[in-house]
Amino acid sequence: MKPLRQPKVIAEIVAGIILGPSVLSRSSSFSDRVFPPWSLPILESAASVGLLFFLFLVGLELDLNSIRRTGRKAFSIAAAGITLPFLCGVGVAFLLRKSVPGADRIAYGPFLVFMGVALSITAFPVLARILAELKLLTTPIGETAMAAAALNDVAAWVLLALAVALSGGGSAVVSVWVLLSGAGFVALMMGVVRPGMTRMSRRWGSGSGESEAYICLTLAGVLVSGFLTDLIGVHAIFGAFVFGLTVPDRGEFAGRLIERVEDFVSVLLLPLYFASSGLKTDVAKIRGAQSWGLLGLVIATACFGKIVGTFAVAVMNRMPIREAVALGFLMNTKGLVELIVLNIGKERKVLNDETFAILVLMAVVTTFITTPTVMAIYKPARGGDGGYKRRKLQTDLSSSSSSPGDKQQKEVRILTCLHGPGDVPSIIGLVETMRGGGGAEQSRLGLALYVIHLVELTERSSSIVMALRARKSRLRRRTQNRVALAFEAYGHLGGVRVRTLTAVSALGSMHEDVCAAAEEKRAAMVVLPFLKRAGDAGEEGDHMETVGNRGVNHRILREAPCSVGLLVDRGLGDGDSPHSARPHTVCVFFFGGPDDREALVLAARMAEHPGVKVDVVRFLRPKSPLEAPRGGGGGAGNNHLVPISSHQLPLEKNYSFSNSALDPARETELDDASVEEFRRKTEESSAGFEEKATHNVEAGVIEIGRSGDYELLVVGRGRFPSAMVADLARRSAEHAELGPVGDILASSGHGIVSSVLVVQQHNVPDRNDDNEMDPRTTITTASNSV
């Protein structure tokens, strides 16, 4: 179902139906072998335990404080999204009682309430995932939908408790007693158990040695709560849900609970529940035109009640028509909670086989149409304004110098991405080096730093919780995590404007968040952590581990609207304070081409920092083995960009060069001009410049990297290779996305102790170049230069 952009619950429900008598279990040999009669009670028991812990997680994810702070707009939308569908469900219930055989033997009260609940539910967890995947979670429509869905969830559980009490089979007095007992249970949990769980959560964070006992006590509490509500006469899942509400949703305790429970529940126990539900669903019970017509009527009524009710109130609250329609479809999302309600109705003999099958298919269809419909009718504009130009440091810094009075022009904006607290020191150290600020010209330049904390959106409940917390932190306009606090401290100490963001995305679309943020913030460069040292530095101990996902990095390199820097961290930024944690010595390798010119511009900015010593080494090829070039640019012509020939190598083992055509003579002129500009800008600084003639580039760069004289090495990615760089394409690549020289400096086994920054200049023609590591793709290298 993933290619159809469907939530996981749709696939699980459909899989359960396929296992049941609708498809596979129509064969008696299959049902007798896979689901023999003696196994069904065991299956039901295991599924019930899984359901208890799943509802505990649902209650844990629901933030009661947010519900209390819900505004009048969300409250009115939730009320309309419950009332009209409930009334529509009651109306359909009268028709079903007359049309479905056997339905008239069911008491009116329970049947009407169950039908109303079935049509009025909005699946809160499923809605959160759909909004996150559609990048709508932190938009106004997403915030309204989540607030309304939370209110809807609470109301649905109250209505479900009412329906269960009415379906108990006793008198009205018994039903009232069950409801009052259930209300007393809720009051006891909120008044007594919730304060105790809050104290337990605080003691967990204080470092006490009772953590395992707290986990066991909490898990036992789920079972005890379920037993008590089942004893009262309300379903056991109601107790598990209420107990989940008593656990504070902030802090490490809730996160550790989710980690302990969710995998066991979602991987092992919940599939049993879907299989158990599928064995009860027989689509073949829907026979004849009348039955299929009733199915269409139920689906149409469910959609009408939710969409029209939500749309009408949303428009009354002055929401745009397109947003109001999209909100109506979003609130029509069903999920596992819907399936739970239907199974309870079937267990209590309120729903017969045909009615049960009709309502299950209704839940599947209404949820299935949500994502494609919202994508079709509501596409919010992302990114910055139309005036944003494809940016690079060279453009931004030159425009900054020429327009000192324009605040927008004189501020250089850097967007950095990180995956956790471990990336903070290296990013801060690198940014501190890039801030400049020493010379007369650079002193008036400002630096704005935007930090995106990338969080992978998975099928785990903790991923949804992370997404919801990102939304809450945006609403409250304050940060709660260590990453944000570290960068805020750096901003105050270093005088840098810092903004922290959180992007919760699936890996396949994570690059879209980064590129959209770069465009919205008008960034000149995106900095990505790529590799991080995992062992001790040295010949044998320099083991590097990948930071993040290489596929995401590839897509950012290809799609970014600005220049990109990939950071290989070998202890960069280690220091006593954020302000002093910067590399003091930087070496820039220059071979020629757009990427190297961008690295040279960055070097000029670094050289303006009073605490940073920058050296530039320009590699040139000698005219002959015995003669090396002398002077400023005398030998530059021997290092020009060469035409690409037909020597082909597999891309997954070698480097990706651009297939865009460039004029070698023009590129040589630009290289020489960049060198002269660097020298002009760094005349008053301690920056060094050296031209190094060598036939063995690999040995030359390794020698400098091993020397330990520099804490940071900067090199261009080399997509438009000079003759010297193209020679290196014959070697097997360990990290092809870093380019030939960057790969040599980042590879293990060379004994290089310096961190490495690989720079790619934004280049519009190169956007046609496919940098994905597809084994079917081939590249061409300059074999005539070897």
Side-chain angles (χ1 to χ4, degrees), residues 647-665:
H647 180 66
Q648 295 183 343
L649 295 170
L651 182 57
E652 75 276 15
K653 294 183 178 179
N654 293 273
Y655 308 103
S656 175
F657 292 158
S658 175
N659 52 18
S660 303
L662 293 179
D663 181 4

Side-chain angles (χ1 to χ4, degrees), residues 52 185 189 221-222 225-226 229-230 234-244:
L52 280 179
F185 173 80
M189 296 296 285
V222 177
S225 300
T229 51
D230 188 62
V234 187
H235 201 277
I237 61 172
F238 187 73
F241 173 77
V242 174
F243 186 74

